[in-house]
Amino acid sequence: MTDINNASAASSLPSMKIYDWYDGPYPARVRIALAEKGLLSQVKFIPINLWKGEHKKPEFLAINYSGTLPVLALKDGTLIAECTAITQYLDVLDENPVLTGVTPVEKGVIHMMTKRAEIEFLDAVSVYFHHATAGLGPEVELYQNVEWGEKMREKAIRGMHYFDAVLRSQPYVAGNTFTMADIAVTGGMIFAALVNLAVPDECTALKAWYSNIQRRPSYQQWQALVEAGRPVFNP
């Protein structure tokens, strides 16, 4: 009986680990994807404190050379970094890829729009944060180029206008269904809010889309995780 109980207990343990930070915009993408796939209970989250620069320490660089979050660690020792790669892995675990597409056309369009979400919006907000604001603080931000950061702020706003135009003719970023492209733009919206980068008033379609996204159970589960992980004191 003991062996059976031990086997049952082992099977209920998380089968994956994710190194991330509880309210990071990039980690949010994977946490929302996990919620969409019903996989949150199978993950143990290992906090890497961005504000203390733990993602740039040798211990973490041994896990991810790029020094970025999140990173997925599997039981066999496999490490998968980059939000898109992690989402692609998670989406096919049950052979029901609702986030990354089924047909070659769906896969191509979703990948394209996810990349555009990163380049034109999310990554631009990130560069603005790290270069034109205090960022993660002087112990982490060892080099800043304010002019470049401000240019990326302008690019992020252009990105908002681009996705507003896209969403005026279709309900979701890559077409008629919610995909990882929507999650990537959501990451941009989360990051923009963190750095007080307002969505232009005229981007009404983008705002309406985001209001709908915020009502999704996966987004609300992400918010609950943020509240549960919030430190008592600011970093």
Side-chain angles (χ1 to χ4, degrees), residues 5-229:
N5 288 339
N6 288 342
S8 177
S11 65
S12 66
L13 293 174
S15 59
M16 298 176 281
K17 296 178 182 178
I18 289 183
Y19 297 86
D20 73 356
W21 185 238
Y22 74 99
D23 66 347
Y26 290 88
R29 293 172 59 186
V30 169
R31 290 188 176 208
I32 291 171
L34 285 164
E36 288 283 338
K37 298 293 293 185
L39 293 171
L40 283 171
S41 64
Q42 297 186 34
V43 176
K44 178 182 179 180
F45 293 102
I46 301 175
I48 303 296
N49 194 321
L50 294 169
W51 297 95
K52 294 181 179 179
E54 290 179 356
H55 57 306
K56 300 300 182 183
K57 303 292 186 183
E59 296 82 1
F60 183 73
L61 293 176
I63 295 171
N64 182 16
Y65 169 83
S66 298
T68 58
L69 300 175
V71 176
L72 170 65
L74 305 179
K75 282 188 173 181
D76 67 359
T78 300
L79 297 169
I80 304 175
E82 310 302 334
C83 296
T84 298
I86 296 171
T87 302
Q88 288 175 328
Y89 170 82
L90 297 173
D91 198 31
V92 298
L93 286 177
D94 59 1
E95 299 183 355
N96 181 32
V98 295
L99 299 176
T100 56
V102 176
T103 70
V105 171
E106 288 174 348
K107 290 176 181 290
V109 171
I110 291 168
H111 190 90
M112 174 185 72
M113 295 306 289
T114 300
K115 192 67 175 177
R116 286 184 178 177
E118 293 171 339
I119 294 174
E120 304 299 333
F121 185 20
L122 175 55
D123 291 351
V125 178
S126 179
V127 174
Y128 166 68
F129 170 71
H130 289 293
H131 285 272
T133 77
L136 294 172
E139 294 186 7
V140 181
E141 309 293 2
L142 301 180
Y143 168 77
Q144 289 186 301
N145 184 327
V146 176
E147 182 180 2
W148 178 240
E150 290 295 340
K151 287 290 185 184
M152 290 300 99
R153 178 184 181 278
E154 295 172 5
K155 181 174 183 176
I157 293 173
R158 291 197 301 272
M160 292 179 187
H161 282 283
Y162 167 72
F163 286 107
D164 178 72
V166 168
L167 292 163
R168 287 180 184 275
S169 61
Q170 59 193 41
Y172 295 101
V173 173
N176 293 320
T177 59
F178 180 89
T179 69
M180 72 172 175
D182 295 279
I183 297 176
V185 176
T186 298
M189 297 293 279
I190 291 169
F191 211 157
L194 287 173
V195 300
N196 298 315
L197 182 57
V199 177
D201 291 340
E202 58 269 28
C203 292
T204 55
L206 178 61
K207 288 184 175 184
W209 165 87
Y210 193 45
S211 292
N212 289 332
I213 296 299
Q214 290 173 306
R215 288 192 286 270
R216 292 183 74 87
S218 59
Y219 186 96
Q220 294 173 0
Q221 286 177 281
W222 165 75
Q223 282 188 315
L225 287 171
V226 169
E227 291 302 319

